[in-house]
Amino acid sequence: MKSVTKIAFRIHGLVGLVAGIFLLLIGLSGSILVFYHEIDATVNVDKLHVEPNGRLPLPLDSLFNIVAQNTDSSTGILYDAYYSNPNVAYEFRIYTPKEKSKSQMWLVSINQYTGEIVRNGAFDISTSFLHWLLVFHYSFRLGGFGILLITIFALLLFTSLITGTIIYRKKFIKTLLFRIQIKNANGKISISNFHRIIGVWSLLFNTIIFFTGFLMTWTSLTPDYWKEENKIPLSQHAFLPKVSIDSLLIETKIIFPDFEVKSIYQSSEDTTELSISGDMKSTSSIYKPNSASVTFNPTTGELIKTFDINNEKSFDNWWGLSYSTHIGTFGGQTTRWLYVFIGLTPGLLSISGALLWWRRKNRNIVTEIKTAYNTGLAKVAVQCSADTFVVNQSLVLRINFCGKKRHLRQARKR
């Protein structure tokens, strides 16, 4: 078992050195994005704050039409109603064609009471740092290749979790029972114990993050993904439904009486379907958001299909469960705040692991220097006894040790 632990230790260190900085960036960005709608509304309050003044929002048909006129080409328009606040401007996303292996989203924020566009630009820092960070989190802003990298780093995280479990398996119970102290006997923080405590206590969380994130990106490992990714979408004007979106939303609430809309998407590539997604109040929060949807033909208004996660088979529930678990919405505000802090653990483990590696490397360098110095001595045979050069007790012990180990020191080959 010692050989297995030794191999696991080497793999654990290697994975940390290769993927540590990337796991730090992914974890840090993920913690920020837990509340990215709320942060965005607060940071950009000068642009996004709107006042109803007794007015009702304009019809969605009018808002979609204003947004569609804002772009020359589009592969789809999404109305994001996840963060519903009457004092915050509506958010739309325009999916626009771009070069091979990359996709570009355009952000449009609009005053729902006046139709005025208050923010307009690509998902970059100049438009919105939070939206730039969102794209960075799931693709490093490298398109399909970036999603593949995220998938690979997720697998490296899982490898790190397995090897870390093997290394610290004998310390698990003590760590969980708080028998391992962060501070050492000198009162200083022990980096090794800190790394162990954070790793053990965050093991379950990081395992969940790995599996849920991997379920969202694993298709990047398949050939079909790259066949689709390598297609360059043709430039085309945004397609607007022939049937009123507001009337389709009313029909959706007839089908699902307690339905709360979270998003509406109309593709310009597939003009036969318009999807209205959201949640029902009766649905468990562990499956939210987007646990239900209704799809219509945007030209005829014909109902194509409905989806309610409560009526699906257990296997089909995995997607809804994985998404809500990954972003921390399954337990309301409590789990979201918990995710903010626990989401920092991959970064803390990366930093503490790097410090441990650096300390170990320096220790090995010092040992090599001492060894090289000692091997330069000529052969000497020294015999010591217990009563020779007795000065104090510690010196006696050293003399006794010398007497027991009367080895000749080997001179260095010249």
Side-chain angles (χ1 to χ4, degrees), residues 208-209 212 286 288 320-330 339:
I208 292 174
I209 290 298
T212 54
I286 198 170
K288 297 178 180 179
L321 179 61
S322 64
Y323 183 68
S324 64
T325 306
H326 191 79
I327 65 176
T329 58
F330 61 91
Y339 267 48

Side-chain angles (χ1 to χ4, degrees), residues 208-383:
I208 292 174
I209 290 298
F210 156 73
F211 277 112
T212 54
F214 184 74
L215 284 175
M216 298 178 193
T217 62
W218 71 271
T219 54
S220 63
L221 299 174
T222 64
D224 291 339
Y225 174 85
W226 292 101
K227 291 178 181 179
E228 187 67 25
E229 180 69 18
N230 289 337
K231 292 180 180 179
I232 304 177
L234 299 175
S235 178
Q236 53 197 320
H237 291 287
F239 173 80
L240 291 177
K242 308 299 182 183
V243 181
S244 169
I245 297 177
D246 294 278
S247 64
L248 296 180
L249 187 57
I250 293 174
E251 188 172 345
T252 299
K253 292 186 177 181
I254 293 175
I255 298 172
F256 296 134
D258 59 346
F259 184 85
E260 295 179 338
V261 64
K262 295 298 181 183
S263 67
I264 300 176
Y265 179 70
Q266 175 60 63
S267 172
S268 298
E269 298 177 301
D270 182 4
T271 58
T272 62
E273 293 187 359
L274 179 143
S275 179
I276 301 177
S277 302
D279 302 302
M280 288 180 286
K281 296 178 182 179
S282 57
T283 301
S284 172
S285 59
I286 198 170
Y287 295 123
K288 297 178 180 179
N290 298 326
S291 59
S293 65
V294 181
T295 304
F296 296 96
N297 184 312
T299 302
T300 64
E302 176 189 0
L303 175 64
I304 297 177
K305 61 183 177 181
T306 62
F307 172 81
D308 179 6
I309 204 167
N310 297 301
N311 299 328
E312 301 299 318
K313 297 178 182 180
S314 299
F315 180 78
D316 295 328
N317 290 354
W318 275 105
W319 172 252
L321 179 61
S322 64
Y323 183 68
S324 64
T325 306
H326 191 79
I327 65 176
T329 58
F330 61 91
Q333 296 289 71
T334 302
T335 54
R336 293 180 75 191
W337 277 108
L338 185 63
Y339 267 48
V340 170
F341 295 104
I342 302 183
L344 299 174
T345 57
L348 293 175
L349 290 172
S350 299
I351 295 172
S352 58
L355 291 175
L356 287 172
W357 173 82
W358 180 256
R359 188 175 67 179
R360 183 181 180 85
K361 180 181 178 182
N362 287 343
R363 185 183 301 164
N364 290 338
I365 292 175
V366 172
T367 303
E368 290 176 2
I369 293 174
K370 290 182 177 180
T371 303
Y373 177 78
N374 289 335
T375 55
L377 297 176
K379 294 183 178 180
V380 179
V382 180
Q383 180 175 356

